[in-house]
Amino acid sequence: METTDLVGDSRDLIGAESPILQSSSVPPDMNNSNPAPMENNSSEPTDIDNSSPAPPEAAAEPLPEPQTQPESQPRKKRRRRKKIFTDMISTASRLRVLRPHPKPTPVAAIDVPDSPSSHQRKRRAPSDLSKEVDIEALIAISVGFPVDSLTEEEIEANVVSQIGGAEQANYIIVRNHILSRWRSNVDVWLTKDHALESIRAEHKNLVNSAYNYLVQHGYINFGVCPAIKEVKNKVVHEMPESCVIVIGAGVSGLVAARQLIFLGFKVLVLEGRERPGGRVRTKKMSAADGSVVGAADLGGSVLTGINGNPLGVLVRQLGFPLHKVRDICPLYLPNGRMVNSDVDSKVESSFNKLLDRVCKLRQGIVEEVRSVDISLGTALEAFRHVYKVAEEPLERMLLDWHLANLEYANATLMSNLSMAFWDQDDPYEMGGDHCFIPGGNGRLVRALAEDLPIFYDCAVDSVRYGSDGVLVYAGGREFHGDVVLCTVPLGVLKKESIEFVPELPQRKKDAIERLGFGLLNKVAILFPYDFWGGEIDTFGHLTDDPKMRGEFFLFYSYSSVAGGPLLVALVAGEAAVKFEKMSPVDSVGRVLDILKGIFSPKGIAVPAPVQAICTRWGQDQFSYGSYSYVAIGASGDDYDILAENVADRVFFAGEATNRQYPATMHGAFLSGMREAAHITRVARRGPIYPSEKMSTSSPQNNDVETLFETPDLKFGSFSVLYDPRETDLESNALLRVEFRNDQLESGVIHLYGLIQRKQAVELNKMEEDAKRMEMLTRDFRVRLVGSKGLCKDSETLISQIKLTSS
């Protein structure tokens, strides 16, 4: 839709005789820029340390022969074309670098100053108000709201008494204004009174409706800045305190937990890994002597569509800088020569036209396409033969590179993608730049996880649910709650790693089976210095083997954001599957061979890497892949089905439950907010809290608690019992650490660990509990467990202490 159409629609909603906004209202600020190698069979990455549409007639014509050209030819700019090159980045950046037909981005072009204080405001003419409403509509669109209708969530929330008509039109203007006003300054809490200041009094009911909806669904007043957190901690809700167990501490789980606590729920988060973030992981890489350091995003890496992206709001609140990913991406042949720009442009144009032809084909058989769905790869190959595209070796290599890029975008082979619905999320694409966060996305994860009651190393085995609540078995313990929010990746659901009792409805199981969950891997290599040059963020490599077209086809340069000379090579498609069976040493060697083939002819030596890491997301037991895609026979409806709750007890969030923004970090974020609102809505319909407290049916051992009434050593939250038979500093001791949390009924939980007496002495020397915990986990490598998770040595020690005491 053209910008002029949007402006026209917005003006129609204002109404010349009865404007909604008062002349003192202020347009928002649209500036969003605040600104020794070994085989790995585990679920974590391997760490290698070496510190020592039919094309027009022109498209059917043969493409020109490759031309010899100087290395100084202009580098090709690669831009994004609709969904094919949008922002899919669940476990790895799904950023596309191909060139589209440019389309306007009016929101990004708007530059409106920050809202002045009320005494600085000047009265505005009707034309100014009209322009302001237009701007606010564009902001709302960038966030994902339709221009002239309500979302399904708004309809479910009964934001207006009647769908359609003047009340709905006025509500949309009010909603857009409140949303835009907060977006102009996301570091403060926007109160309802502030929203009322610039809206006519007769529309107070609309303000109440829009404000409550936006707050509850996490469109405003969300985030991690001090002012927001301070207000949230003070808000008192009248809703009875129901207990929610969140499974998974990925982006969706963390966001949902924070919002649920704000909305008045008691929350526990169960995470199978020993860290938060899920498929978002930042790994610090360094030389043995610390001379070179870099931060690599091994999973989700790019913030895409920054204009409306809620993660962009967090970045602004935290004051992080952003690095815009530059769209210049030179391509190199297997012999190291740069691809001729004319040939490159022609093949890319033909590739885009093939995709257009497929789109026209499915539009013509829209009714039949569901029953006769075929793979996107099959359709493209058929049209390639018909229109004689890429018949020469060089042309075919170029086309294969673009196909590899498309397989990267969807984390699967072209033969798996639904021709009918593979790009069903196109209409919802967020506008704006694609950006890196210097230091990695782990910085966002840490901020989201701060102060949350998370139980790590606590993998969930089963979920039992019924009219009396839910029972979750995890980490050898039982957790009771009122509802459970499952945020595990689609790959885990496909593997049936978690048992649901009763079984999930067949409708949901069918959707889980139909949707695809693909694979993309990375090799991150830290070098002693940047030999490739810092003026680009990406460069590509072609291969003459079509089956391996996705093997290290694209390189990301992280030098400008990682803190050190870091390259990340991507592995997509069939190559990503084979990659998981390769030796990490062989994988890194293959990357180095490619780099030497590109840079050695230029007289640039490729140094030995300082450190290298290979991901194995397909083998990760907590993901079994990278991100979702629409497989043959699936559709966008399956995302909605996966998002449906079961019996108002079991709720689901995660990128694979977000039809509009699947396979993205912000899709996971928005799904967490969505489910927090859904759980709240269910709670308000009727009681969901038969269990009066959040508890675990594995209570602390009363005998152990009695022993700790008179510990041998106590400091801060730490208590220690020594082995009464030994006085040696190497002897065992039982450590108890007390954790206090208002989300627990008892307000306290005790965890235990077996340490040496000398370690207890060292812990006692530390001044703060935080430093003690860091020493315990980092230096002593001690893992704390519940009383039922104690090892045999611990149980023997307890028995000896009890015997001596008696």
Side-chain angles (χ1 to χ4, degrees), residues 629-647:
Y629 65 90
V630 183
I632 300 172
S635 71
D637 293 342
D638 291 314
Y639 287 107
D640 290 338
I641 296 172
L642 197 55
E644 294 172 353
N645 81 73
V646 178

Side-chain angles (χ1 to χ4, degrees), residues 1 4-21 126 129-138 140-141 145-150 154 160 163-177 203 206:
M1 184 179 291
T4 52
D5 293 337
L6 299 179
V7 171
D9 290 343
S10 299
R11 285 174 178 166
D12 291 341
L13 294 178
I14 299 171
E17 297 181 359
S18 179
I20 304 302
L21 306 183
L129 288 175
S130 176
K131 180 180 179 181
E132 181 178 329
V133 171
D134 295 340
I135 293 172
E136 292 173 349
L138 291 174
I141 291 169
F145 285 101
V147 62
D148 57 0
S149 62
L150 302 178
E154 286 177 304
V160 294
I163 304 301
E167 183 189 20
Q168 174 178 303
N170 290 339
Y171 165 85
I172 290 174
I173 294 175
V174 171
R175 177 202 67 197
N176 294 351
H177 176 71
H203 299 292
L206 294 179

Side-chain angles (χ1 to χ4, degrees), residues 688-746:
I688 63 168
Y689 42 89
S691 56
E692 296 182 356
K693 60 183 179 179
M694 175 79 71
S695 65
T696 127
S697 63
S698 297
Q700 308 297 341
N701 188 305
N702 291 332
D703 292 337
V704 176
E705 290 300 305
T706 301
L707 293 177
F708 272 101
E709 289 178 359
T710 55
D712 294 308
L713 185 63
K714 182 174 177 59
F715 44 91
S717 299
F718 292 65
S719 302
V720 181
L721 294 175
Y722 293 145
D723 187 337
R725 303 165 298 176
E726 303 285 347
T727 58
D728 192 303
L729 289 176
E730 301 288 337
S731 62
N732 286 335
L734 185 63
L735 171 71
R736 186 189 75 175
V737 184
E738 183 174 283
F739 296 90
R740 295 193 171 275
N741 194 299
D742 294 337
Q743 304 304 319
L744 300 171
E745 179 69 17
S746 63

Side-chain angles (χ1 to χ4, degrees), residues 220-409:
I220 66 172
N221 293 340
F222 68 86
V224 292
C225 64
I228 298 294
K229 292 198 294 186
E230 181 181 359
V231 175
K232 285 194 170 186
N233 290 336
K234 293 179 180 179
V235 173
V236 178
H237 291 270
E238 298 179 357
M239 184 188 306
E241 291 185 336
S242 301
C243 307
V244 182
I245 300 173
V246 178
I247 303 176
V251 171
S252 58
L254 296 175
V255 169
R258 299 189 75 88
Q259 185 73 353
L260 284 166
I261 291 173
F262 160 61
L263 293 172
F265 293 87
K266 291 183 178 181
V267 176
L268 277 183
V269 182
L270 306 179
E271 169 56 49
R273 305 180 193 271
E274 297 179 348
R275 59 171 181 83
R279 288 168 284 166
V280 178
R281 186 191 179 192
T282 301
K283 174 71 173 178
K284 180 180 178 182
M285 303 175 67
S286 63
D289 59 1
S291 57
V292 182
V293 178
D297 274 322
L298 304 180
S301 56
V302 184
L303 297 190
T304 57
I306 200 67
N307 283 350
N309 196 322
L311 296 175
V313 172
L314 301 188
V315 169
R316 291 170 62 189
Q317 291 177 334
L318 293 168
F320 294 165
L322 285 175
H323 172 80
K324 176 184 175 181
V325 180
R326 291 164 287 189
D327 54 15
I328 297 175
C329 181
L331 297 182
Y332 294 94
L333 295 166
N335 62 10
R337 287 185 173 274
M338 190 183 295
V339 174
N340 178 276
S341 59
D342 292 336
V343 180
D344 185 5
S345 296
K346 200 159 192 177
V347 172
E348 183 182 6
S349 175
S350 297
F351 168 71
N352 288 336
K353 290 171 183 175
L354 287 178
L355 287 171
D356 290 339
R357 186 61 179 173
V358 172
C359 291
K360 291 181 179 179
L361 169 66
R362 68 186 183 190
Q363 289 171 3
I365 57 173
V366 65
E367 294 300 328
E368 298 85 358
V369 75
R370 286 182 179 268
S371 58
V372 295
D373 195 8
I374 61 173
S375 76
L376 178 63
T378 298
L380 286 175
E381 183 64 13
F383 282 121
R384 187 185 74 81
H385 281 294
V386 169
Y387 292 94
K388 303 184 184 302
V389 174
E391 295 188 313
E392 299 299 322
L394 172 59
E395 301 168 11
R396 187 56 197 260
M397 280 193 292
L398 276 166
L399 182 64
D400 279 338
W401 187 90
H402 290 295
L403 293 173
N405 201 30
L406 198 55
E407 291 178 326
Y408 156 43

Side-chain angles (χ1 to χ4, degrees), residues 722-777:
Y722 293 145
D723 187 337
R725 303 165 298 176
E726 303 285 347
T727 58
D728 192 303
L729 289 176
E730 301 288 337
S731 62
N732 286 335
L734 185 63
L735 171 71
R736 186 189 75 175
V737 184
E738 183 174 283
F739 296 90
R740 295 193 171 275
N741 194 299
D742 294 337
Q743 304 304 319
L744 300 171
E745 179 69 17
S746 63
V748 65
I749 189 171
H750 294 141
L751 296 180
Y752 304 86
L754 191 67
I755 63 174
Q756 294 179 341
R757 183 180 290 216
K758 66 178 182 181
Q759 292 175 331
V761 173
E762 291 183 47
L763 289 171
N764 189 28
K765 293 178 182 178
M766 304 298 291
E767 295 181 353
E768 300 175 4
D769 279 353
K771 294 181 179 179
R772 292 173 182 135
M773 282 298 300
E774 184 177 5
M775 175 179 285
L776 184 69
T777 57

